């Protein structure tokens, strides 16, 4: 772990100087980046910050399709010995009703991929971490299942696997005694594909690079805005909502 | 008096030794290396290197993949499984455990690990076959192999 951190630090430093040099020689308008697959042997960088914008008014079924697509992609929720409180959820639908007006709406809630992630902050082993491109993950190889991160997460986005798991998806390793949550379909993102929920949403969820002002997500966010849940916590989430 | 105590001690030592040897009489688990041998020349390293170092290769690669998003196929755990474990045998996926939760000699990784008595932790989280899906909705080939 410490070696990884050092590498990340050195890369940040190198990338920082590299960008400064590029900005001198290339006109600003030419600094276009496209959301495409990075070469498999290249490490992710913080030039990119992945994000999602969820328009709940256009999301069919109050987001149930998102939950189903996620389950199908990652195979979670198939526990047979766990009770309802123990069962895993990577994304769930939450219904909100305003007390006075009784106006209510439903939204899918998953890991919000915070810039300053409380889970990574409290994790005693370094298993919870934020990848350079903003995706918050659990390294299950070093997770000890203490669940401190679950306590720290304001979005209730994480769960612990309570029982032995079989027949996992090859791209979604899952096992007893480790904590898990939305990975923003990191295995697909690394191949230049969209997360499974985005593909299932019929255009209601936009996925892209928040650092690139020319990406679709940045353009829509600039024009129409997008709210964070619990914005008061100042976590600068990568997942934003419209219609809440 | 003294001799009696010594006798008891000797008996106890013998009993302890005997209990340690329980199970040793069983024959060693069967080794099924056909798949491994068939793949030897295509493997990413010579077989003697792989035999000794595979765990270091995949451990190094796991950190690179999880933390840095590096997904090259050499030393990729998924690539090992896709090559060494058949998608199915007799219409069923080849799992590392048998139905009575013993290491399955038909599974390439499990056959050696059972033989040498080394615990096999990878598959507590990772898919143990290329399909990774329950037989009912098995997605053999196709996207799972990418
Ligand atoms: S459960 Fe795992 S990821 Fe969460 S804080 Fe503990 S060690 Fe870290």
């Amino acid at each position: 772990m410490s070696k990884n951190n050092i590498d990340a630090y050195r890369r940040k430093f190198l990338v920082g100087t590299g960008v400064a040099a590029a900005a001198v020689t290339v006109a600003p308008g030419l600094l276009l980046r496209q959301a495409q697959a990075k070469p498999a042997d290249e490490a992710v960088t913080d030039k990119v910050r992945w994000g999602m914008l969820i328009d709940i008014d256009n999301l069919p079924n109050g987001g149930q399709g998102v939950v189903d697509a996620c389950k199908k992609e990652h195979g979670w929720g198939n526990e047979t010995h766990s009770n309802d409180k123990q069962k895993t959820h990577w994304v769930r639908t939450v219904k909100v009703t305003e007390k006075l007006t009784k106006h209510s709406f439903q939204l899918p809630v998953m890991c919000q991929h915070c810039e300053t992630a409380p889970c990574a902050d409290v994790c005693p082993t370094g298993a919870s971490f934020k990848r350079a491109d903003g995706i918050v993950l659990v390294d299950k190889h070093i997770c000890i299942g203490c669940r401190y991160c679950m306590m720290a997460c304001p979005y209730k986005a994480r769960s612990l696997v309570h029982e032995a798991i079989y027949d996992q998806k090859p791209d979604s390793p899952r096992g007893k005694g480790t904590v898990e949550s939305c990975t923003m379909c990191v295995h697909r993102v690394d191949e230049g594909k969209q997360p499974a929920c985005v593909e299932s949403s019929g255009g209601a969820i936009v996925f892209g690079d928040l650092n690139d002002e020319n990406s679709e997500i940045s353009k829509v966010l600039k024009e129409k805005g997008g709210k964070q849940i619990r914005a008061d916590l100042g976590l600068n989430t990568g997942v934003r909502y419209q219609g809440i | 008096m003294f001799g009696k105590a010594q006798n008891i001690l000797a008996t106890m030592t013998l009993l302890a030794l005997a209990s340690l040897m329980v199970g040793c009489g069983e024959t060693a688990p069967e080794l099924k290396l056909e798949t491994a041998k068939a793949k030897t020349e295509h493997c990413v390293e010579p077989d003697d290197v792989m035999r000794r170092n595979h765990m270091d290769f995949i451990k190094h690669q796991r950190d690179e993949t999880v933390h840095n998003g590096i997904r090259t196929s050499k030393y990729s755990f998924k690539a090992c499984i896709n090559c060494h474990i058949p998608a199915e045998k007799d219409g069923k996926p080849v799992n590392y455990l048998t139905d009575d939760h013993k290491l399955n000699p038909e599974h390439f990784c499990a056959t050696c690990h059972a033989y040498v008595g080394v615990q096999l932790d990878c598959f507590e989280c990772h898919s143990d076959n290329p399909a990774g899906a329950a037989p009912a909705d098995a997605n053999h080939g196709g996207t799972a192999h990418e």
Side-chain angles (χ1 to χ4, degrees):
Chain A
M1 262 318 293
S2 61
K3 184 177 174 296
N4 274 321
N5 286 342
I6 293 166
D7 283 350
Y9 172 77
R10 288 171 59 197
R11 196 159 43 248
K12 221 182 208 168
F13 178 76
L14 292 174
V15 165
T17 48
V19 167
V24 177
T25 47
V26 185
L30 294 177
L31 285 173
L32 291 183
R33 284 186 302 270
Q34 279 196 334
Q36 61 194 8
K38 63 165 187 62
D41 61 348
E42 225 169 67
V44 290
T45 72
D46 59 0
K47 275 194 238 172
V48 177
R49 180 170 184 212
W50 297 119
M52 292 203 278
L53 175 60
I54 306 173
D55 178 359
I56 65 160
D57 293 328
N58 287 324
L59 208 55
N61 255 336
Q64 190 52 45
V66 166
V67 177
D68 296 342
C70 183
K71 262 189 193 174
K72 189 164 172 241
E73 178 72 20
H74 298 283
W76 56 268
N78 58 352
E79 298 85 24
T80 46
H81 301 289
S82 306
N83 67 31
D84 284 349
K85 280 191 179 161
Q86 295 170 328
K87 275 197 176 139
T88 55
H89 64 265
W90 290 27
V91 50
R92 66 206 163 100
T93 55
V94 175
K95 196 174 174 194
V96 185
T97 309
E98 222 241 324
K99 273 189 188 144
L100 180 70
T101 61
K102 302 281 182 296
H103 171 68
S104 79
F105 55 85
Q106 190 167 312
L107 68 163
V109 177
M110 67 289 265
C111 171
Q112 304 287 300
H113 299 279
C114 311
E115 186 185 16
T116 46
C119 54
D121 231 11
V122 300
C123 178
T125 67
S128 287
F129 69 102
K130 187 177 63 123
R131 234 169 59 145
D133 59 1
I135 301 181
V136 175
L137 295 171
V138 179
D139 183 344
K140 295 174 188 187
H141 303 108
I142 45 182
C143 172
I144 53 171
C146 69
R147 292 165 267 183
Y148 204 161
C149 55
M150 288 173 62
M151 293 289 118
C153 177
Y155 303 105
K156 216 180 176 182
R158 293 196 155 183
S159 27
L160 176 90
V161 181
H162 278 76
E163 60 182 79
I165 301 282
Y166 305 97
D167 297 325
Q168 294 92 334
K169 307 277 179 191
D171 286 310
S172 290
R174 310 178 52 236
K176 182 178 172 180
T178 61
V179 161
E180 54 185 26
S181 57
C182 157
T183 62
M184 223 186 242
C185 282
V186 68
H187 59 290
R188 298 170 68 110
V189 172
D190 283 345
E191 283 179 355
K193 291 197 250 163
Q194 306 234 318
C197 59
V198 178
E199 250 173 34
S200 80
S201 71
I205 309 180
V206 184
F207 167 82
D209 179 6
L210 298 169
N211 282 351
D212 175 7
E213 59 183 32
N214 292 304
S215 67
E216 195 198 346
I217 186 168
S218 297
K219 284 186 193 157
V220 183
L221 276 169
K222 189 172 178 192
E223 194 187 322
K224 296 189 183 148
K227 285 192 194 154
Q228 307 179 52
I229 10 181
R230 291 300 308 269
D232 55 316
L233 297 172
L235 298 171
N236 191 13
T237 58
V239 177
R240 307 282 170 125
Y241 293 84
Q242 282 174 341
I244 62 169
Chain B
M1 281 294 281
F2 197 67
K4 204 171 186 187
Q6 260 182 340
N7 270 345
I8 294 173
L9 208 70
T11 323
M12 276 168 63
T13 318
L14 262 182
L15 275 176
L17 275 178
S19 70
L20 274 181
M21 292 176 70
V22 166
C24 287
E26 285 177 25
T27 48
E30 201 184 345
L31 261 178
K32 297 212 168 167
L33 292 174
E34 297 83 27
T35 14
K37 291 219 167 101
K39 301 280 164 100
T40 307
E41 57 184 289
H42 307 291
C43 200
V44 294
E45 300 287 353
D47 53 355
D48 54 337
V49 178
M50 274 326 258
R51 237 174 258 151
R52 192 168 280 276
N53 299 318
H54 65 280
M55 63 302 265
D56 297 327
F57 293 148
I58 49 184
K59 191 171 177 193
H60 177 77
Q61 179 86 2
R62 93 178 187 197
D63 292 339
E64 289 294 338
T65 303
V66 177
H67 292 266
N68 299 329
I70 287 173
R71 293 183 187 269
T72 44
S73 54
K74 192 178 184 186
Y75 306 145
S76 141
F77 186 80
K78 209 171 89 176
C80 300
I81 298 298
N82 286 353
C83 195
H84 283 289
I85 314 293
E88 58 178 40
K89 195 176 182 206
D90 307 327
K92 284 204 284 186
V94 182
N95 294 119
Y96 84 111
L97 292 180
T98 54
D99 287 342
D100 53 354
H101 286 242
K102 295 234 167 66
L103 287 171
N104 176 8
E106 297 288 343
H107 189 280
F108 168 54
C109 307
T111 192
C112 265
H113 275 257
Y115 187 79
V116 293
V118 175
Q119 203 172 337
L120 187 48
D121 285 338
C122 302
F123 303 118
E124 286 184 17
C125 283
H126 283 277
S127 169
D128 58 5
N129 68 86
D137 62 319
N139 180 14
H140 298 136
T143 51
H145 286 271
E146 276 172 14

